[in-house]
Amino acid sequence: NMSKELTALKMDFKEKCPNIKVKSLEERNCHHWKRLVFQDGLNCEEMFLLAMYIKDTFSVEGRYSHRLPKLHEYKGGLVLTIAEDEIKRAGIV
């Protein structure tokens, strides 16, 4: 059962990047980290769209935090990890 934050994030992402296939991942022991999983990887066009989505949705001028969205390898897949409070701050929930 997905949290309301992850549900809202996945819906927002699918609305803004409809051509990118994505699944979601949420774990009990890391419940504040919400993850979108790109099982098929990303091609160049998809990477650009994802970068624009992250920039348009989450960037704050002059601010850096380890909690900001991060694209990385996780459990053998390509994953975008976003902190729950960043999803709330971006107004998605």
Side-chain angles (χ1 to χ4, degrees), residues 14-30:
K14 283 184 162 219
E15 182 183 310
K16 293 175 181 161
C17 300
N19 298 329
I20 301 177
K21 280 172 57 178
V22 68
K23 293 198 170 183
S24 49
L25 177 63
E26 191 168 35
E27 299 156 308
R28 280 171 204 224
N29 60 336
C30 302

Side-chain angles (χ1 to χ4, degrees), residues 26-89:
E26 191 168 35
E27 299 156 308
R28 280 171 204 224
N29 60 336
C30 302
H31 62 88
H32 60 282
W33 296 116
K34 308 304 178 193
R35 305 184 200 275
L36 296 178
V37 182
F38 306 98
Q39 288 187 302
D40 301 334
L42 295 169
N43 66 29
C44 186
E45 183 70 23
E46 292 165 339
M47 283 189 280
F48 178 76
L49 291 171
L50 176 61
M52 292 306 295
Y53 174 75
I54 294 168
K55 184 174 182 285
D56 293 346
T57 308
F58 295 101
S59 71
V60 176
E61 191 73 33
R63 177 172 173 262
Y64 175 79
S65 165
H66 76 285
R67 293 184 168 248
L68 291 177
K70 183 176 182 177
L71 187 65
H72 61 109
E73 185 278 334
Y74 185 75
K75 295 189 174 180
L78 183 62
V79 172
L80 177 66
T81 299
I82 305 174
E84 185 177 292
D85 56 357
E86 287 299 312
I87 295 168
K88 290 176 180 168
R89 189 194 53 73

